């Protein structure tokens, strides 16, 4: 069932979203050459504690951290580790989540570590644009196919590929609610979006093949060809006045 959130409930989700945005602010500062992905997780934990928020990632199906850190060819679900040291020229997806009074926020950003090559920068720029295009489609009466098509068409026009095994989702009192929101689709097809729907939209765009593989840790999803992948995400409410991104700084 796809739930409709009230204005009061969306206000709580906005508070959770602000905590997520603050986690990103501190994680981005921590994600420097020489830092480990565990160092990035540590600052995210500090923000959660300071804001009296709880983690929706920690212990989710046994996940051991409060953020996912996914460098280079890791698409999503990378586990923060003391043995993963960030290097100049890397890219890193930082996926953060928080719960306030039972309501969830979820957002991701992919950042450059120091100076990166031109093609990696293009991958980040295009993936962010895929998300922005998708957000613009979160208008009452539009369909999930409109969202997916917006992501897919921009990615393909840039000669990148779209991950199909992992998708966006509804969000509310659980991190993952119905509906699933694929990053591909046919305009006009699929569920119609209504005011009060809240969706986490998260394009995962690969420089090479769309094929994915899960490593033996059961979490880390990588590109099959070893090329890089980028991931951007926001939690967004459909309102009478169009989309409202909830995972923004306060
Ligand atoms: Mg998500
Ligand atoms: Mg996420």
């Amino acid at each position: 069932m796809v739930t409709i959130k009230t204005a009061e409930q969306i206000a709580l989700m906005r508070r959770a979203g602000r905590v997520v945005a603050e986690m990103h602010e501190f994680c981005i500062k921590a994600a420097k050459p020489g830092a480990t992905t565990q160092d990035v997780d540590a600052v995210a934990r500090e923000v959660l504690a300071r804001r009296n928020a709880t983690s929706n990632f920690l212990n989710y199906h046994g996940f051991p951290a409060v953020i996912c850190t996914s460098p280079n060819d890791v698409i999503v679900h990378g586990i923060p580790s003391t043995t993963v040291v960030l290097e100049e020229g890397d890219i890193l997806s930082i996926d953060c989540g928080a719960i306030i009074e039972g309501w969830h926020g979820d957002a991701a950003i992919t950042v450059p570590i120091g100076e990166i090559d031109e093609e990696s920068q293009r991958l980040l720029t295009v993936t962010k644009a895929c998300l922005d295009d998708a957000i613009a489609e979160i208008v009452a009466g539009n369909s999930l196919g409109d969202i997916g098509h917006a992501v897919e068409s921009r990615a393909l026009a840039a000669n990148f590929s779209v991950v199909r095994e992992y998708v966006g989702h509804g969000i509310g009192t659980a991190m993952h609610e119905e509906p699933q929101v694929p990053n591909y689709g046919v305009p006009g097809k699929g569920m119609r979006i209504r005011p009060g729907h809240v969706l986490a939209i998260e394009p995962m765009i690969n420089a090479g093949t769309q094929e994915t593989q899960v490593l033996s840790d059961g979490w880390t999803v990588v590109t099959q060809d070893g090329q890089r992948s980028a991931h951007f995400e926001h939690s967004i409410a459909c309102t009478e006045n169009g989309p409202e991104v909830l995972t923004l700084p306060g």
Side-chain angles (χ1 to χ4, degrees):
M1 191 186 64
V2 180
T3 58
I4 298 289
K5 278 80 176 178
T6 66
E8 291 72 23
Q9 292 168 339
I10 289 172
L12 287 169
M13 295 190 73
R14 196 180 294 119
R15 284 179 52 203
R18 283 179 182 162
V19 175
V20 172
E22 190 174 343
M23 292 167 80
H24 272 137
E25 182 193 333
F26 283 85
C27 286
I28 291 165
K29 282 188 216 153
K32 295 291 180 231
T36 69
T37 51
Q38 180 80 53
D39 296 332
V40 183
D41 185 71
V43 298
R45 286 176 192 254
E46 286 171 13
V47 173
L48 287 167
R50 191 159 65 237
R51 297 298 176 196
N52 285 317
T54 51
S55 176
N56 37 12
F57 287 30
L58 186 64
N59 299 324
Y60 182 86
H61 298 284
F63 192 78
V66 302
I67 63 173
C68 297
T69 48
S70 304
N72 301 330
D73 65 324
V74 182
I75 301 168
V76 286
H77 304 163
I79 301 172
S81 166
T82 54
T83 63
V84 178
V85 181
L86 299 171
E87 290 179 22
E88 179 89 18
D90 286 348
I91 61 172
L92 179 70
S93 159
I94 304 168
D95 196 346
C96 294
I99 308 171
I100 290 279
E101 293 184 33
W103 292 88
H104 291 239
D106 182 14
I109 185 171
T110 302
V111 293
I113 307 301
E115 288 276 311
I116 61 173
D117 64 84
E118 227 170 88
E119 188 62 0
S120 295
Q121 183 55 58
R122 195 174 74 87
L123 179 64
L124 301 194
T125 303
V126 168
T127 307
K128 172 69 165 56
C130 287
L131 175 58
D132 291 341
D133 287 358
I135 291 170
E137 296 294 332
I138 303 185
V139 170
N142 277 0
S143 70
L144 296 184
D146 293 326
I147 295 174
H149 180 74
V151 171
E152 183 181 30
S153 52
R154 181 176 283 273
L156 297 186
N159 266 318
F160 294 139
S161 69
V162 175
V163 170
R164 300 177 90 86
E165 289 90 349
Y166 305 90
V167 297
H169 49 92
I171 181 167
T173 54
M175 179 160 60
H176 295 133
E177 297 186 349
E178 289 180 43
Q180 296 201 346
V181 188
N183 292 303
Y184 52 89
V186 177
K189 296 285 184 190
M191 188 195 83
R192 294 282 158 185
I193 304 161
R194 292 170 53 192
H197 284 159
V198 183
L199 303 174
I201 304 296
E202 49 182 316
M204 289 151 262
I205 306 298
N206 294 351
T209 172
Q210 69 184 35
E211 309 304 332
T212 70
Q213 196 179 328
V214 180
L215 298 187
S216 58
D217 62 18
W219 282 105
T220 309
V221 181
V222 298
T223 59
Q224 225 169 64
D225 63 4
Q227 292 203 58
R228 291 183 166 190
S229 182
H231 175 216
F232 283 81
E233 177 181 30
H234 272 305
S235 301
I236 306 120
C238 175
T239 78
E240 302 282 357
N241 306 314
E244 182 193 345
V245 178
L246 301 176
T247 36
L248 289 178

